[in-house]
């Protein structure tokens, strides 16, 4: 079945460092791909998405490119801030009306 | 828009008691999802509805769990009887045609 694999955390960085969180997926069709972020004590929020191959999703300085050839959707940010400390989830949706499949989440901790 | 509204935010109950969690999705969204989050198992899909109809309840752990969606603006997740291993954060999310979920803030359930 469909699945999402994320790099295990925690990821610990200093402020202004470059961030990459790896995400790969397995799907039978042509899924839409998502990154969600969860701040402490809150629900998940959609960070960015891409619906077809070679699309780049971006938001708040974060980017991810849908790579069909490598079945990947890695999250990147050029310069992280302390306020980016959160748990990041990669997810896929194989078709409209079905449930999102989430990875296990990667905890990011940024120190000043 | 008030977003997805869950109640209560926190629930502490004794083992064996009935627990009811409530969710009001975003108006106009046609899919509703119940997830459970724990440190050990991450985010688990329990059940989801399309147009108020349960589509997939294979994630419901056992018969003690039940969910209903009597109309487009309300859903409940009931646990009867509750057990300590049910302690988790329960999230409700809604979407329209799966173009990104909107999550509620969650209900933190503690069964003692």
């Amino acid at each position: 079945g469909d699945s999402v694999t994320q790099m295990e955390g925690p990821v610990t960085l200093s402020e202004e460092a470059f961030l990459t969180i790896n995400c790969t997926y397995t799907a039978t069709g042509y899924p839409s791909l998502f990154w969600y972020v969860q701040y402490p004590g809150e629900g998940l929020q959609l960070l960015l998405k891409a619906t077809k191959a070679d699309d780049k999703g971006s938001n708040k300085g974060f980017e991810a490119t849908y790579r069909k050839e490598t079945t990947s959707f890695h999250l990147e940010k050029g310069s992280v801030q302390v306020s980016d400390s959160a748990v990041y989830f990669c997810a896929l949706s194989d078709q409209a009306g079905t449930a999102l499949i989430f990875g296990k989440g990667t905890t990011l901790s940024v120190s000043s | 828009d008030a977003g997805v509204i869950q109640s209560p935010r926190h629930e502490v109950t004794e083992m064996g008691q009935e627990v009811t969690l409530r969710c009001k999705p975003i108006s106009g969204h046609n899919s509703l999802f119940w997830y459970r989050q724990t440190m050990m198992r991450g985010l688990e899909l329990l059940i989801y509805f399309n147009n108020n109809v349960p589509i997939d309840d294979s994630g419901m752990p056992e018969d003690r769990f039940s969910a209903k969606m009597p109309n487009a603006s309300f859903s409940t997740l009931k646990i009867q009887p509750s057990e300590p291993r049910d302690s988790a954060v329960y999230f409700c999310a809604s979407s329209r045609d799966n173009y990104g979920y909107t999550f509620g803030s969650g209900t933190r359930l503690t069964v003692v």
Side-chain angles (χ1 to χ4, degrees), chain A residues 5-9 11 20-23 105-107:
Chain A
T5 302
Q6 289 180 237
M7 61 186 289
E8 298 220 1
V11 174
T20 300
I21 299 178
N22 290 339
C23 171
T106 302
T107 300

Side-chain angles (χ1 to χ4, degrees), chain A residues 32 34 36 38 41-46 49 51 87 89 93-104, chain B residues 9 31 33 35 37 40-43 45 48-50 55 91 97-106 108:
Chain A
S32 295
F34 305 82
Y36 281 80
Q38 183 180 30
E42 298 182 13
L44 281 71
Q45 303 173 26
L46 178 64
K49 67 183 180 186
T51 57
V87 182
F89 292 89
S93 169
D94 215 353
Q95 56 183 307
T98 61
L100 284 178
I101 296 170
F102 285 90
K104 292 188 181 299
Chain B
R9 286 298 308 272
S31 297
F33 308 83
Y35 284 86
Q37 185 178 37
M40 292 295 293
R41 296 185 297 270
L43 265 175
L45 175 68
Y48 76 95
F49 298 83
N50 278 349
I55 302 300
F91 287 105
D97 298 327
N98 239 9
Y99 289 122
Y101 287 9
T102 300
F103 278 78
S105 298
R108 181 174 296 277

Side-chain angles (χ1 to χ4, degrees), chain B:
Chain B
D1 195 334
V4 175
I5 300 173
Q6 290 187 248
S7 63
R9 286 298 308 272
H10 302 275
E11 177 80 33
V12 180
T13 191
E14 292 187 346
M15 182 174 63
Q17 296 298 305
E18 177 180 295
V19 175
T20 299
L21 311 181
R22 296 172 176 80
C23 176
K24 177 178 168 53
I26 290 176
S27 177
H29 282 192
N30 56 354
S31 297
L32 183 140
F33 308 83
W34 282 101
Y35 284 86
R36 178 171 69 177
Q37 185 178 37
T38 62
M39 289 292 291
M40 292 295 293
R41 296 185 297 270
L43 265 175
E44 302 173 279
L45 175 68
L46 300 178
I47 184 171
Y48 76 95
F49 298 83
N50 278 349
N51 299 314
N52 312 338
V53 176
I55 302 300
D56 183 355
D57 65 355
S58 59
M60 297 285 261
E62 46 199 276
D63 291 345
R64 297 184 298 106
F65 286 69
S66 63
K68 294 182 180 179
M69 191 165 186
N71 56 61
S73 59
F74 184 65
S75 177
T76 59
L77 178 67
K78 185 176 294 186
I79 308 173
Q80 165 65 16
S82 58
E83 297 183 3
R85 60 194 167 118
D86 302 331
S87 297
V89 181
Y90 290 81
F91 287 105
C92 175
S94 69
S95 75
R96 181 172 179 81
D97 298 327
N98 239 9
Y99 289 122
Y101 287 9
T102 300
F103 278 78
S105 298
T107 295
R108 181 174 296 277
L109 173 65
T110 304
V111 184
V112 298

Side-chain angles (χ1 to χ4, degrees), chain A residues 10 17-19 36-37 45 48-49 57 68 74-75 80 83 86 88 90 92-93 101 103-104:
Chain A
F18 185 85
L19 168 71
Y36 281 80
V37 58
Q45 303 173 26
L48 53 84
K49 67 183 180 186
K68 187 171 181 292
H74 304 320
L75 183 68
V80 294
S83 57
Y88 292 81
C90 186
L92 72 81
S93 169
I101 296 170
K104 292 188 181 299

